[in-house]
Amino acid sequence: MRLFRLAFALSALSSLPTLAAPSFAVEEATIADIQKAILARQITATEVVNLHLKRIKAYDGVCVKQPDGVLGKIETIPNAGQINAYATLNLRPAMLKKWGFNPHKARSMTDKADADPALPDALEAAAELDRQFAATGKLVGPLHGIPISVKDQYDTADLRTTSGADAPYANDRPPLDAEFVKRLRAAGAIIIGKANMGEYASGDRSSFGGVLCNPYDTERSPGRSSGGSGSSVAASLAVCSIAEESGPSARNPAKNNNVVGIAATQELVSRAGMIKASYMNDRVGPLCRTVEDTATVLDVISGYDPKDELTAFGIGRKPPQPYASYPHEKSLKGLRIGVLREFMNKALFTKADEQSIDIVERAVTDLQKLGATIVDPGASGALFQQCVARYAPSAYSRALIQQNPKLFPADGDHIPQLVAMSADPKLFPADSTLTIRDLGADKTIGEGRFVLDQYLQARGDANIKSTEDLINKSRFYTDVRAGTGFSDKKKGLEEKFKDKTLDISARLEQRFALQQIGIQCMAEQNLDAVVYPTSNIPSPKLGMPTEPNKNGRSALAWTLLGANGFPALSVPAGFTTEVYDRVPDKDAEGGTRMIGPIAAKLPVNVDFLGKPFDEATLFRIAGAYEAATRHRQAPAGFGPVKK
């Protein structure tokens, strides 16, 4: 029966028009918009895919000058009109050629024929959905007919998967879908392609896919690791995408691309079928243009999976109603939201931070107008510092002792001093770096190599079996620039390979300590969530130095709490009018110099962070804020495609 249906779908494609119904605009279309049109028989799933392919053809070309090819030196192009968001497109060879796409974006480099009927492409999958809808008049699931891009870090059995690497796998397709990909397909989603990414989950380029560009300014970063996921959604080359967050790799591209992104509680969504960057931090992060769409995708992909042991912690922890039911409330009355001033105190940072902080100040006012009780320690205050001072001596004493050798001499009795600090936070060292900005920096040994070798063993490829194989057999881009998004990928793998044992015990201790302190800090003030800028620093120039870290603030996005088990939801909050950039300067401190102000309209997002497994509250807050403010704007240079 399945082969019959696929044959029907294949034959149906020949009678479908190459271009779809022009009366329906996919630009900025939501899941509900598309499904309402399908139910009204105004459009088919096949036509939805065709409309997105038309936009991909128009806007997803190479976006930089690369005279020596994808691995060589590059130069940015102002207003390039292209963003290179996709590494691979889900089209069979004949259809890829018919559309005129670069053959480098084929579903597989190792299966040139690509004729397996058990692996339908996007148009065949859409035709099968159309057949089922014609027969039943019902949608197959909550994502019926919705084109979704998936970061190349996740396994797709029908599409090349290499985490952006130009690695010679014997079979560049993994044997199975990642668990959440299976759930997307079962819900009716159409995987339209693999999003280009920062290779091995960092940076703004990959050896296979090339440099990624931001649709709001093609000379700037679309958000590093998951930049292709964010830009594909921002420019309406997909309705939603699946990013990954180990640092800020879901929320940073959400901010840079003026879209909504969630880094959910790690234990909520299975990571089975992921080329992991780490064991402790990796999370599956949906990106969409609206809060409701993001919640709908999370409803589909969340839940227990025996192939990911961490998801056992999530059993019984989902809310009584679907996540997508929470963004519709208009009032925030009864909710208490804390302002995390530790991330917003201008005196701690630089001119580069100031406009983002000002924009989020307005978001705080908006939340108050919506009825929320705002708990704010004041512009130079600290929401959690008294709590940190009270509980760090017990929960995270090792770090406190290491940072304060005068208070805690190596041969001394530390217990009395720790007991006194626990009883009186005033005794906590005033110059301590143990704040909620930068509490802890424990490193792991062997984690990166372990999770990569573990993935490769499970994949079972005949040629690439280990991290060592990736080092010795891959091709790497040569235009490496320290302190930018063009990091040295071969060197990064070599650093991982130096580790010969595995020890994540200190990191596990840190995670537990930070969760204990963070949850207690929220409980003491009866907070439902906290608010702060997703990032203080707008999108940087591609290939240029980033703003140096300062007082726990990186050039990307705030990560400490999210990376230790707290869900964070990033929502558009407005746009800058000017920014400050960095340029190389060997005579300046740190080898870079700030320039500006530079006129630039770049997106800024606000984060709502809550307690583990309380995504429902975050969707309620974000939905009300989004409805009241409507800060999402499509990128100006990527409008409707001319007929």
Side-chain angles (χ1 to χ4, degrees), residues 451-463:
V451 295
L452 189 50
D453 281 357
Q454 185 182 47
Y455 167 83
L456 293 170
Q457 181 185 63
R459 180 160 171 166
D461 190 75
N463 190 42

Side-chain angles (χ1 to χ4, degrees), residues 504-525:
I504 60 172
S505 57
R507 184 69 183 82
L508 286 168
E509 176 195 341
Q510 182 197 70
R511 181 181 174 89
F512 179 81
L514 285 171
Q515 282 203 18
Q516 180 181 347
I517 292 170
I519 293 171
Q520 179 65 21
C521 290
M522 293 184 73
E524 280 189 352
Q525 300 184 65

Side-chain angles (χ1 to χ4, degrees), residues 209-228:
V211 174
L212 306 90
C213 297
N214 187 321
Y216 293 89
D217 181 341
T218 56
E219 292 191 279
R220 292 183 180 271
S221 166
R224 296 292 174 92
S225 172
S226 298

Side-chain angles (χ1 to χ4, degrees), residues 537-596:
I537 307 298
S539 175
K541 290 274 189 178
L542 288 166
M544 297 300 286
T546 55
E547 185 66 20
N549 292 0
K550 187 173 179 65
N551 285 322
R553 184 269 290 136
S554 78
L556 301 180
W558 293 102
T559 61
L560 180 71
L561 289 170
N564 287 280
F566 293 82
L569 180 58
S570 178
V571 182
F575 288 83
T576 64
T577 58
E578 61 184 33
V579 297
Y580 291 80
D581 288 328
R582 287 275 168 174
V583 295
D585 187 341
K586 59 183 177 58
D587 297 325
E589 184 179 355
T592 68
R593 172 171 51 87
M594 179 187 286
I595 59 172

Side-chain angles (χ1 to χ4, degrees), residues 182-264:
K182 287 171 55 180
R183 296 183 186 193
L184 289 173
R185 295 193 208 266
I190 299 168
I191 309 303
I192 198 167
K194 298 301 284 293
N196 197 7
M197 62 176 286
E199 189 169 342
Y200 295 118
S202 72
D204 288 311
R205 70 186 295 183
S206 70
S207 298
F208 183 80
V211 174
L212 306 90
C213 297
N214 187 321
Y216 293 89
D217 181 341
T218 56
E219 292 191 279
R220 292 183 180 271
S221 166
R224 296 292 174 92
S225 172
S226 298
S229 292
S231 62
S232 68
V233 173
S236 292
L237 310 186
V239 177
C240 294
S241 186
I242 306 297
E244 169 274 342
E245 177 139 325
S246 50
S249 298
R251 294 174 301 110
N252 192 44
K255 178 265 295 184
N256 283 9
N257 292 282
N258 197 227
V259 299
V260 178
I262 186 166

Side-chain angles (χ1 to χ4, degrees), residues 260-262 286-288 290-299 569 619:
V260 178
I262 186 166
L287 302 177
C288 302
T290 70
V291 175
E292 181 181 4
D293 283 1
T294 309
T296 298
V297 174
L298 188 62
D299 276 322
L569 180 58
F619 282 125

Side-chain angles (χ1 to χ4, degrees), residues 244-321:
E244 169 274 342
E245 177 139 325
S246 50
S249 298
R251 294 174 301 110
N252 192 44
K255 178 265 295 184
N256 283 9
N257 292 282
N258 197 227
V259 299
V260 178
I262 186 166
T265 308
Q266 187 186 38
E267 297 88 346
L268 193 63
V269 182
S270 173
R271 302 160 302 147
M274 175 196 291
I275 305 177
K276 296 188 184 78
S278 73
Y279 177 80
M280 295 302 306
N281 294 349
D282 279 349
R283 285 157 288 161
V284 181
L287 302 177
C288 302
R289 290 184 292 271
T290 70
V291 175
E292 181 181 4
D293 283 1
T294 309
T296 298
V297 174
L298 188 62
D299 276 322
V300 169
I301 65 176
S302 58
Y304 173 66
D305 173 21
K307 297 185 293 299
D308 181 354
E309 66 277 15
L310 289 187
T311 58
F313 287 97
I315 295 175
R317 305 289 293 275
K318 292 181 71 172
Q321 302 298 324

Side-chain angles (χ1 to χ4, degrees), residues 262 332 334-344 360 363-364 367-368 372-377 383-384 436 518-533 561 566-571 606-623 625:
I262 186 166
L332 298 181
L335 293 182
R336 289 173 58 86
I337 301 174
V339 183
L340 202 54
R341 288 291 176 186
E342 290 91 327
F343 296 176
M344 298 174 64
V360 174
V364 173
L367 295 171
Q368 190 168 33
T373 298
I374 301 300
V375 180
D376 188 349
L383 185 70
F384 285 163
I436 209 67
I519 293 171
Q520 179 65 21
C521 290
M522 293 184 73
E524 280 189 352
Q525 300 184 65
N526 193 26
L527 298 178
D528 296 288
V530 297
V531 60
Y532 54 89
L561 289 170
F566 293 82
L569 180 58
S570 178
V571 182
V606 59
D607 260 14
F608 303 113
L609 181 140
K611 296 182 285 293
F613 298 103
D614 197 15
E615 283 79 3
T617 297
L618 301 184
F619 282 125
R620 179 185 170 189
I621 295 169
Y625 173 75

